[in-house]
Amino acid sequence: MQIDFTPLVRPYFERLARRTDAWSADSDALQLSQLRRLLRMASQTETGRRYGFSELAAMRNPYGEYRSRVPAVIYEDIRKQVMRMVNGERDILWPGRCRNYAQSSGTSGGKSKYVPITEEGLRGNHYRGAKDPVAHYLRQVSGSRLFAGKGFILGGSFASELKTHARGVRVGDLSATLIERINPLANLVRVPDKKTALLPDWEKKLPLLARKAMDENITNISGVPSWFLTVIREVMKMKGADRICDVWPNLEVFFHGGISFKPYREEYRRLTDPGKMHFLETYNASEGFFAVQNDFNDPAMLLTIDSDVFYEFIPVDGAVRGPRPIWELEKGRVYELIVTSSNGLWRYRLGDTVRVESVAPVKITIAGRTKSFINAFGEELMEDNAERAMAAACDGTGASLRNYTAAPVYSENGRRGRHQWLVEWEKAPEDVKAFAAILDGELQKL
């Protein structure tokens, strides 16, 4: 007999959810307290001494002075400092030595980013943020039996293109660090086991994930929609099922993020029990956990304002110059997001744009990126990758081109997602299929 622990843990999670009720009125004070705390904690770092964080932390409202002293940066502006941290130096962007880094796609030059994951960032942001989706879900679903079974969490690995770093430093996907460092008690209510979850080879990992999970009582799943769809189809194939709800009859919620869910919603609805299944979106990036959907009837996500992050917003329409704090936001406007966080990021430009759907409390939807690339399936195809692959295909076939563009074709009715390329030739190749094969192969390498 399966014991349902949901009634036991529900009061704890509902208290977590209730704290957000006051955010309509006290978001300004909460955000300022976050900023002062972050400045105080990092006051003796190299960055803190350079900009006088001790003096700023003592101010009742340090924002104006903080904005004037500290420049807004992109990753390339701090790459050298981060690499010093990777190589073992202490007290650079954040106090102490940082031993974990999340590898993430770069936005320029094709170089990957290595985002610091500090101890404080893990506790105060990433793990705390991971509780919020559960809290808001249980608050909305009174009859949930979430903890009568297990959660299936799909993560990455510590495979990294960075080969030189100090002893004890680990670089890989953010999800790999979260799984590696998770409270051991959580392993009692999740699958797969840590060894399987962290395998780097997807070809070996996929069938193992399916076998480990297919006979479990799965009540909830968490991950990127495109990757999880691949796992679900493998499970159905192994079990000879037409729908995943026939394999996991108690599945009730998918906590999803990373890419837009819109292209996948109908396929997930087709594969699950519509009378039982719920979908809840999160905004969880390598740089931090920023927002969570707190109402099934509202696709906007509640900005998390008490979890070691101070937010700034730059209007993308250019009508108003310069960044704005949370208390100066306007409903309906699109902004570029800037974060200051306990991961040692100071006025860091994420490259994400958000639309403010509500200001009291602040709720957002993802509007897009400030740079051009395709991330429909988690592939993060950058312009630099496309340019290099196109050049290789031209060289291999003697072709030349005037212009090209690419777009995603989303998976449906069992068909895999893919890209479609439209090319205007200067000199067409003799064999377009050969050109396409080289392009595809080069993109896989890149």
Side-chain angles (χ1 to χ4, degrees), residues 57 65 71 99 171 195 197 264 269 286 295 344 367 378 390 398 401 406 418 420 446:
E65 190 66 22
R99 298 178 183 273
V171 181
K195 181 179 179 181
Y264 303 94
R269 282 177 173 168
S286 298
D295 183 349
M390 270 292 185
L401 53 87
R418 60 200 186 279
Q420 185 176 59
L446 292 167

Side-chain angles (χ1 to χ4, degrees), residues 390-408:
M390 270 292 185
C394 286
D395 290 342
T397 60
S400 60
L401 53 87
R402 295 179 181 177
N403 212 337
Y404 69 91
T405 188

Side-chain angles (χ1 to χ4, degrees), residues 154-155 199-207 209 227-228 230-231:
L154 187 59
L199 283 173
D201 188 336
W202 183 253
E203 297 296 327
K204 295 179 180 178
K205 185 174 183 174
L206 176 58
L209 286 170
W227 288 80
F228 228 117
T230 304
V231 177

Side-chain angles (χ1 to χ4, degrees), residues 168-227:
V169 168
R170 303 204 75 176
V171 181
D173 296 318
L174 168 66
S175 57
T177 297
L178 297 181
I179 291 170
E180 175 71 21
R181 301 289 303 277
I182 199 169
N183 187 318
L185 291 175
N187 291 315
L188 300 175
V189 293
R190 62 171 287 272
V191 294
D193 60 275
K194 188 181 293 186
K195 181 179 179 181
T196 302
L198 297 177
L199 283 173
D201 188 336
W202 183 253
E203 297 296 327
K204 295 179 180 178
K205 185 174 183 174
L206 176 58
L208 275 175
L209 286 170
R211 281 197 290 270
K212 297 278 186 179
M214 65 184 189
D215 294 320
E216 295 281 359
N217 178 26
I218 303 296
T219 62
N220 61 99
I221 57 177
S222 304
V224 178
S226 56
W227 288 80

Side-chain angles (χ1 to χ4, degrees), residues 109-128:
K111 293 182 180 180
S112 290
K113 300 182 291 186
Y114 306 102
V115 180
I117 309 173
T118 66
E119 293 295 322
E120 291 78 11
L122 277 173
R123 291 195 306 268
N125 179 260
H126 288 293
Y127 285 133
R128 184 173 188 179

Side-chain angles (χ1 to χ4, degrees), residues 157-172:
S157 73
F158 285 108
S160 168
E161 62 189 46
L162 186 65
K163 304 304 179 187
T164 57
H165 48 72
R167 178 178 292 184
V169 168
R170 303 204 75 176
V171 181

Side-chain angles (χ1 to χ4, degrees), residues 31-44 48-49 51-67 69-70 346:
Q31 275 286 275
L32 283 173
S33 70
Q34 295 295 305
L35 178 58
R36 288 193 299 268
R37 178 175 177 273
L38 293 168
L39 292 168
R40 184 171 61 252
M41 292 180 71
S43 61
Q44 299 308 308
R49 291 192 295 270
Y51 296 116
F53 282 3
S54 291
E55 179 186 356
L56 293 175
M59 298 178 181
R60 182 177 180 182
N61 184 348
Y63 175 63
E65 190 66 22
Y66 174 64
R67 182 173 61 182
R69 289 189 192 185
V70 182
W346 303 99

Side-chain angles (χ1 to χ4, degrees), residues 370-383:
T370 57
K371 302 289 184 180
S372 297
F373 71 95
I374 303 176
N375 188 28
F377 315 104
E379 74 278 30
E380 297 182 321
L381 171 63
M382 295 177 285
E383 287 178 278

